[in-house]
Amino acid sequence: MNLAIMGSPGSGKGTQAFRLSAQLGIVHISTGEILREETRKNSALGIQAKKCLNAGQLVPDDVVIEIVHSRLNQLDCADGFLLDGFPRTLPQAKMLDAIAPRPKQADCFLDRAIFLQVSEKECVRRLANRRTCPKCGLTYNSETHPSTQKGRCDACGSRLILREDDKAKTVKERFKVYNALTQPLIAYYKQSQRLIRIDGSYKPDIVFKNLINLL
Ligand code: AMP
């Protein structure tokens, strides 16, 4: 199955994508994580992306489209994939729909678009409590999912940080961008009957159970 999961910042799409890809045995592709990895490596792409990430802006379409296009061409995507945080704009959604589906597959290359819906107030609260490992990218929540050793990553022991783009001012900007550019994709996928809307305000286990039922 070829899937995409979208939602506002803090809606829990990363958490659900991680579980869903494991459950379905398909590749998890997070554009946010690919871009953060590039910034950690300090590559030319990472240096360009960092400015956009830290300002709460999207990385230009042509850059992200190129990344996703070449990633989807890799062999491990042949049996299905889950895109996490892509598409975020209409040109990105159209790029996916321009890829021809394989023989015996559905009419469209992308089978379903999942939208996690959570109120802005709840997302802001979640992001303020989110702590991230700068080394391996794992995330924690100081209220609902703290690390075992306070302030340290369970996997690698690095000191956890509040991501630059999870700071209140940037979160505000990310919401503006989400409402203007990503929210309209709900209508795009509804029209082609590929939309799955899910209430993401419950605990992760419940959201996941509901998601599996709907799929
Ligand atoms: P995420 O981890 O999905 O919340 O993404 C973090 C940041 O990476 C976003 O705020 C954007 O700056 C950038 N980003 C991730 N995915 C995309 C995309 N599909 N298009 C443009 N920018 C993206």
Side-chain angles (χ1 to χ4, degrees), residues 1-7 13 16-31 68 71-72 76-88 92-93 95-97 99 102 105-106 108-115 189 193-198 208 210-215:
M1 206 179 312
N2 296 347
L3 303 171
I5 187 163
M6 284 154 271
K13 60 186 160 55
Q16 295 301 325
F18 181 77
R19 291 181 176 204
L20 196 56
S21 59
Q23 172 89 13
L24 300 177
I26 55 178
V27 188
H28 174 196
I29 303 168
S30 158
T31 43
V68 172
R71 183 65 188 86
L72 291 177
D76 59 352
C77 294
D79 294 327
F81 55 80
L82 172 58
L83 285 166
D84 162 3
F86 185 99
R88 263 176 153 100
Q92 294 180 13
M95 163 279 203
L96 283 180
D97 283 346
I99 301 177
R102 294 186 192 90
Q105 278 188 336
C108 298
F109 179 65
L110 189 75
D111 298 305
R112 292 281 181 273
I114 302 161
F115 264 86
Y189 287 112
Q193 286 153 22
R194 287 177 290 167
L195 177 68
I196 293 182
R197 273 172 122 150
I198 182 130
F208 185 63
N210 293 341
L211 187 51
I212 290 291
N213 283 340
L214 279 173
L215 274 171

Side-chain angles (χ1 to χ4, degrees), residues 12-66:
K13 60 186 160 55
T15 304
Q16 295 301 325
F18 181 77
R19 291 181 176 204
L20 196 56
S21 59
Q23 172 89 13
L24 300 177
I26 55 178
V27 188
H28 174 196
I29 303 168
S30 158
T31 43
E33 200 38 53
I34 293 173
L35 293 166
R36 278 188 291 278
E37 179 60 23
E38 291 297 324
T39 68
R40 285 194 280 269
K41 289 194 296 201
N42 226 13
S43 66
L45 168 62
I47 292 166
Q48 185 195 1
K50 194 172 183 175
K51 289 185 199 141
C52 304
L53 265 79
N54 287 353
Q57 296 295 329
L58 294 185
V59 171
D61 278 337
D62 55 342
V63 175
V64 190
I65 283 174
E66 169 64 31

